[in-house]
Amino acid sequence: MAPPKVTEFTCGGFVVGLTSSHSITDGLGAGQFINAIGDYARGLPKPRVTPIWSRGELIPKPPKLLSGPLPVPRMFELRYLTVDLSIDSIEHAKSQFLQSTGQRCSTFDVAIARLWQARTRSLRLADPSTRVNLGFFANTRHLLRGGATAGFYGNCFYTVTVSAESGEVVSADLAGVIDMIRDAKARLPAEFARWAAGERVEPDPYDLSFSYESLFVTDWTRLGLMDADYGWGTPSQVIPFAFQPFMPKAIIGAPPAPKAGARITTQCVEDVNLPEFRDEMEAF
């Protein structure tokens, strides 16, 4: 993890830039690090959350990795697009899902469902039986044995995957897409338990396929990034800035206060699909 870089503006505001690596920590660990710096900056004698490594005690013994050459991913010319989903549209989708299924869903469920469906529609795949894949990264600290997870700053996430025919995703109502996502989330505890016990889970949750038909999503709203306080209050905005031309991706965050809802920052389509993808997202 590189030291934070600070840019000050004449208006009195400033920007803190931080680069972290998944070889050391995941998003929650990076958020813990940022908050620890803020704690020291405000004069606290120690961070409010004590960092814990204890990796040998916490992390299970997963199946051994298969040997072989590393794959060479295909590179894409992915374009940035940021779209805000209003709180009214999110609550309306939640209400429709409740009426349709009798169950409640989260803001994350709504945002990721709308994102996946909009992107799939924009791809206009000629064969509706083509498989499209959605992957999102779930924190598994609460599933570790012993429960001693507070403060652990290493990698502790599991890839939840959803796969369906493109025609099914395109033609479904939003409640149907949400249901696919919730089914995948419900499988997480059992799948992670099998993986943690040393069983080989297929497909391998860490063998990511970076095809154009695949989309990867990360939720930044629960990482603690918006809680960091260096003595001037919490941030007005937290945004990602990363370039991975082999990985169609999106990050779900929050718009600047006092605006409510969800802000989705994407780098997941090429120029040919960008106009329709933008239209689909803005139509929500």
Side-chain angles (χ1 to χ4, degrees):
M1 183 175 292
K5 305 296 183 182
V6 180
T7 301
E8 297 184 68
F9 299 105
T10 55
C11 64
F14 63 94
V15 171
V16 178
L18 177 71
T19 300
S20 64
S21 171
H22 270 300
S23 64
I24 301 174
T25 183
D26 59 11
L28 278 169
Q32 180 181 332
F33 176 77
I34 292 171
N35 276 277
I37 294 176
D39 292 342
Y40 282 125
R42 297 198 317 279
L44 298 184
K46 62 179 183 179
R48 290 167 294 171
V49 178
T50 301
I52 296 173
W53 187 239
S54 302
R55 195 174 189 276
E57 299 175 16
L58 295 176
I59 301 301
K61 296 180 180 179
K64 292 184 179 179
L65 297 176
L66 298 176
S67 60
L70 294 175
V72 179
R74 175 187 167 191
M75 299 296 162
F76 307 107
E77 294 184 0
L78 302 170
R79 302 306 182 194
Y80 279 103
L81 177 67
T82 297
V83 178
D84 289 344
L85 304 185
S86 71
I87 189 64
D88 290 340
S89 61
I90 292 171
E91 292 302 322
H92 179 67
K94 288 181 179 180
S95 177
Q96 286 187 320
F97 184 77
L98 180 61
Q99 293 176 8
S100 175
T101 67
Q103 299 177 339
R104 299 187 182 277
C105 65
S106 67
T107 295
F108 174 80
D109 296 334
V110 172
I112 196 174
R114 183 56 188 163
L115 169 66
W116 190 34
Q117 185 176 61
R119 182 180 188 271
T120 303
R121 286 175 173 173
S122 74
L123 297 185
R124 290 194 171 273
L125 297 170
D127 184 355
S129 67
T130 302
R131 305 294 294 188
V132 289
N133 309 299
L134 172 69
F136 50 95
F137 307 103
N139 170 41
T140 53
R141 284 164 173 77
H142 61 293
L143 299 176
L144 293 175
R145 60 177 179 266
T149 60
F152 180 70
Y153 59 88
N155 285 295
C156 193
F157 65 89
Y158 192 88
T159 308
V160 179
T161 57
V162 188
S163 181
E165 292 186 353
S166 62
E168 182 182 5
V169 177
V170 166
S171 61
D173 59 13
L174 190 61
V177 183
I178 292 173
D179 209 33
M180 297 181 201
I181 293 165
R182 287 175 55 81
D183 284 346
K185 290 169 64 176
R187 297 194 300 267
L188 171 63
E191 286 190 9
F192 181 76
R194 287 171 49 211
W195 178 85
E199 296 183 30
R200 188 168 297 282
V201 177
E202 297 294 344
D204 184 339
Y206 300 103
D207 184 14
L208 305 181
S209 175
F210 301 117
S211 67
Y212 196 56
E213 292 74 34
S214 298
L215 172 66
F216 296 90
V217 183
T218 299
D219 182 4
W220 277 24
T221 62
R222 300 178 183 274
L223 302 184
L225 302 176
M226 293 295 294
D227 300 325
D229 185 354
Y230 297 90
W232 294 274
T234 55
S236 61
Q237 177 66 309
V238 176
I239 60 172
F241 185 78
F243 183 68
Q244 297 161 324
F246 54 86
M247 184 181 187
K249 62 186 177 298
I251 294 176
I252 298 177
K259 190 175 183 180
R263 169 161 291 187
I264 305 179
T265 303
T266 72
Q267 190 185 17
C268 67
V269 295
E270 297 184 313
D271 278 332
V272 65
N273 306 117
L274 183 59
E276 187 167 354
F277 175 58
R278 180 190 294 111
D279 291 344
E280 285 283 345
M281 290 299 296
E282 292 180 348
F284 180 60

